[in-house]
Amino acid sequence: MKSIVKKIAIFSMVGLMQIGFGASVIEASSLHSEPVPMRHHDDRNDQDRHERERHERQRHERERRERAENERHEREMRRRHHESEREWHHRQERERERHDNTMREIAAGLIGIWIGSQINN
């Protein structure tokens, strides 16, 4: 009877030691030490990258629109050979107003994009 009790006690201690050793190995493993939301963090990096790319495309589009508007404005501001001085100044005034409105629309789009990105964050 004593031998059975000794064997049970020894095997129980060995089992507890294995459980303790296994728990320490699991705790020290790299898979367990990484935070669980790490995949979420990768998703966030992807979202940030997509946001940066989208902002970059929007910036290029805005710059393209501004360049096109400035070129059009410059062409329209030149005096035409059939215009009188008075007609030319009148057309220049209308063109300045149109140009200012267009540039404000482009800037308003940029502000709208910025506000939208701030809401999403």
Side-chain angles (χ1 to χ4, degrees), residues 10-114:
I10 290 173
F11 286 125
S12 297
M13 282 189 233
V14 169
L16 287 173
M17 286 174 46
Q18 286 180 343
I19 291 173
F21 180 69
S24 64
V25 168
I26 289 173
E27 190 66 31
S29 71
S30 64
L31 291 176
H32 186 71
S33 66
E34 290 181 14
V36 175
M38 189 62 181
R39 180 64 193 145
H40 177 70
H41 182 67
D42 290 341
D43 290 342
R44 183 67 182 161
N45 285 341
D46 288 344
Q47 286 176 346
D48 289 345
R49 184 175 47 82
H50 290 305
E51 281 292 314
R52 282 192 304 273
E53 289 172 356
R54 186 174 64 85
H55 285 294
E56 192 68 19
R57 282 192 306 271
Q58 290 170 342
R59 185 177 62 81
H60 285 301
E61 176 63 20
R62 180 183 54 85
E63 288 173 354
R64 184 197 62 77
R65 286 180 64 197
E66 283 180 353
R67 235 183 348 266
E69 171 60 22
N70 286 334
E71 289 169 2
R72 190 202 62 76
H73 177 68
E74 189 176 316
R75 272 192 320 272
E76 290 296 318
M77 292 300 281
R78 291 189 199 119
R79 184 174 178 184
R80 299 188 177 129
H81 66 279
H82 62 19
E83 278 184 314
S84 69
E85 194 76 25
R86 187 171 156 207
E87 290 172 333
W88 179 47
H89 287 297
H90 185 63
R91 189 172 56 79
Q92 279 184 325
E93 187 177 317
R94 286 191 320 261
E95 174 53 31
R96 274 190 213 101
E97 290 173 10
R98 184 188 181 287
H99 178 71
D100 290 343
N101 286 338
T102 303
M103 294 306 280
R104 276 193 289 271
E105 286 175 10
I106 293 171
L110 181 64
I111 292 169
I113 291 167
W114 180 79

